[in-house]
Amino acid sequence: DQSLNHTGVALVDSLGNAIVCHAIIVKKLRGSERLAHVQNELSKFLACYSQVVAGAIEGPSLGSRHREFDLGEISGVLKADFFTKGIDLVVVPPTTLKKFVTGKGQASKDQMLYSVNQKYQLSLTDDNLADAFGLARFSLVHHNFGNITFPVQRNELETVRSFLVPKKRKLRRPAAKQSLNNL
């Protein structure tokens, strides 16, 4: 769960249980220095866990106004880092993550934190870590979809299924043009 000041990172095992939840804290760094710091810290973190095969990051919150370009840069750094490490990556829209964890696409930060702690028997106090855990679990279900051998909740499975196979949108038909004779 990338952020300008507090990036959450979480790993789950093959059964979806938390291995570790970790925060990359950025203080008083800006621009390229901040990006390099987040990348270095993520690389050090992942170096401790050689079995990482898939990951997820939260996509942009379209329509929000909160330093989109800076967040886009951090997302780009993370995408490149995952790519160079050979880790499959999926970008999860915020509403999809919320629906995956809470069953509702419009959940608040507090609802996300509460749901993660209740559903997965965790005791996190940071919403960034709760989002990171939700993303890690989403990645696990997504990566193993069709061959799931671990406990999965119904809303998790349905959310990943709709993410993989989005509903077809109905095309709006243009209004029939009136002929000059009908005017």
Side-chain angles (χ1 to χ4, degrees):
D1 180 50
Q2 68 276 20
S3 162
L4 295 175
N5 300 316
H6 194 238
T7 295
V9 183
L11 294 176
V12 296
D13 63 17
S14 61
L15 297 175
N17 301 311
I19 295 174
V20 64
C21 294
H22 173 71
I24 299 173
I25 308 293
V26 179
K27 292 187 178 184
K28 300 182 182 176
L29 299 177
R30 300 290 178 259
S32 299
E33 193 176 13
R34 175 185 9 225
L35 299 175
H37 176 74
V38 171
Q39 183 180 24
N40 290 335
E41 291 297 311
L42 179 64
S43 290
K44 284 194 279 187
F45 177 81
L46 291 175
C48 298
Y49 302 95
S50 61
Q51 299 293 327
V52 177
V53 295
I57 63 172
E58 192 169 16
S61 175
L62 301 176
S64 296
R65 297 178 196 266
H66 59 280
R67 305 197 56 194
E68 303 84 14
F69 296 109
D70 292 334
L71 288 170
E73 289 175 342
I74 287 180
S75 293
V77 165
L78 297 180
K79 287 177 184 179
D81 203 44
F82 276 78
F83 176 78
T84 59
K85 289 175 175 47
I87 299 171
D88 290 333
L89 182 67
V90 63
V91 179
V92 183
T95 54
T96 301
L97 174 61
K98 291 173 183 181
K99 187 172 184 182
F100 179 83
V101 172
T102 69
K104 299 184 300 184
Q106 300 299 320
S108 69
K109 291 179 182 290
D110 289 339
Q111 289 169 323
M112 285 287 290
L113 183 60
Y114 178 81
S115 290
V116 164
N117 285 331
Q118 291 300 308
K119 286 184 177 181
Y120 309 110
Q121 291 81 45
L122 298 174
S123 56
L124 300 174
T125 57
D126 183 329
D127 61 273
N128 293 303
L129 296 180
D131 284 357
F133 177 81
L135 287 163
R137 191 154 165 100
F138 185 97
S139 175
L140 178 70
V141 175
H142 179 270
H143 189 72
N144 292 290
F145 198 82
N147 189 28
I148 294 178
T149 58
F150 51 91
V152 180
Q153 296 179 7
R154 183 177 181 159
N155 67 294
E156 292 176 327
L157 199 56
E158 289 174 353
T159 303
V160 172
R161 181 183 295 123
S162 65
F163 178 80
L164 289 168
V165 184
K167 293 180 181 177
K168 292 182 181 179
R169 290 183 155 191
K170 292 182 181 179
L171 297 176
R172 290 178 50 196
R173 294 179 185 230
K177 293 184 180 178
Q178 293 182 351
S179 68
L180 294 176
N181 297 336
N182 292 340
L183 295 178

